[in-house]
Amino acid sequence: MTETEATTAERYRRFAAIEARGYSPLYDEWCTGIADDDDLLARLDTLAPERRQPVLFLGAARFVGVPLGDYSAFRSFVLARWASIRDVVETRTTQTNEAGRCAVLLPLLAAISADEGRPLALIEVGASAGLCLYPDRYAYAYTPGPTVRPRTGSPVPPLECAVSGDVPLPSRLPEVTWRAGIDLNPLDARNEDDVRWLEALVWPEHAFRAERLRTALDVVRADPPLLVRGDLNEHIEPLVERAPRDAVVVVFHSAVLPYLGRTGRDRFARTMLRLAADRTRPLHWLSHEGHRTLTGVPGAMQPAPGEQDGLFVLQHNGRSVARTGPHGQSIAWLQEVPDRSG
Ligand SMILES: C[S@@+](CC[C@H](N)C(=O)[O-])C[C@H]1O[C@@H](n2cnc3c(N)ncnc32)[C@H](O)[C@@H]1O
């Protein structure tokens, strides 16, 4: 049974066990409760399958003001305010924007810029409000490893990332001369409702992520990126054409491809492999997605036997190079590229 065919109870039980356990005790408790709650499951089942997604529903409840209390308080609030929560679920989408993901992208970004001998032109597909387009404006604390900071400092607390394996950690930040993104619904760092939605998507116990979001939004507001509204498959090639020729283009994405159908994902992978192979202009493709997401490229993401299911995989031009924490909290470099294309 695939993720979309799983029952709503199974989706919430799986989310509690795989994604929330040990990371958000409250979401673990709420989602475990929902999975056994026929009243709430019946309400969720009135939504379209893609709208039953735990992160979307939990974010909507938070947006409407659910108290951060035990399951019975959560349940009472949801039943009392179902119409408002439903309205948010049906009009918003999951747009969690996590600057922390820059910590796992940075080693490759720095290496690409150094190898090509050019500054970076960044294009993020599925950019949300664009927080991941500023890897040169954040500080990083790798453990074990160096702390790397912009020369001018950063208002954002250092992005902490646990390291294992031979990660090619950078000693300095690459120069970024151009940044642009594509999103079906770009969020505006200056719009109060959009900011409230981004805040509602930060998991309850993650005060450090809320602080990071607040300060990273200041970085974006001070120098907003070019954000194109629309589908990534439609806009990626015209946007690459707009990038300056004296820079190396890096197209990247994080936690985006699950929102595309299989056809859309495969089309995007084909486009990126073609553009990366075209040596008339230097272009690299970085993918940071859950390991079940991408197929049809060499070394596609399959978990190693016994591997924790919730990890992401970082790929460079379709080749898997590292397994990572989904919010950028860890990076484990792969010793050998697994040849388990799916
Ligand atoms: C979970 S958010 C991730 C945001 C950002 N990449 C990050 O890692 O912080 C996924 C984003 O992808 C966007 N998205 C989903 N499908 C898309 C598509 N077909 N074309 C463009 N953007 C899309 C959503 O609107 C959303 O903003």
Side-chain angles (χ1 to χ4, degrees), residues 53 55 93-102 105 124-133 181-187 197-198 201 209 228-235 252-261 264 288-289 312 326-327:
Q53 190 197 24
V55 172
T93 55
T94 307
Q95 296 202 262
T96 311
N97 203 182
E98 181 46 74
R101 291 175 175 141
C102 288
L105 298 171
E124 183 180 15
V125 299
S128 185
L131 301 188
C132 294
L133 282 165
I182 303 169
D183 203 286
L184 286 177
N185 178 44
L187 294 182
W197 179 233
L198 287 169
L201 289 166
R209 289 182 58 214
V228 176
R229 181 181 294 273
D231 180 72
L232 52 88
N233 271 312
E234 298 303 321
H235 291 279
F252 68 97
H253 50 89
S254 194
V256 172
L257 296 190
Y259 301 99
L260 276 67
H288 183 236
E289 299 285 350
F312 273 30
H327 292 135

Side-chain angles (χ1 to χ4, degrees), residues 9 15 20 40 44 54 135 150 158 163 253 257 297:
F15 178 84
L40 252 62
L44 286 167
V163 173
H253 50 89
L257 296 190
V297 295

Side-chain angles (χ1 to χ4, degrees), residues 190-207:
R190 294 156 298 191
N191 177 295
E192 211 177 296
D193 254 14
D194 284 357
V195 170
R196 276 211 318 118
W197 179 233
L198 287 169
E199 287 168 350
L201 289 166
V202 175
W203 298 15
E205 299 87 350
H206 297 189

Side-chain angles (χ1 to χ4, degrees), residues 126-143:
S128 185
L131 301 188
C132 294
L133 282 165
Y134 296 79
D136 53 331
R137 306 281 174 86
Y138 304 135
Y140 301 82
Y142 292 102
T143 309

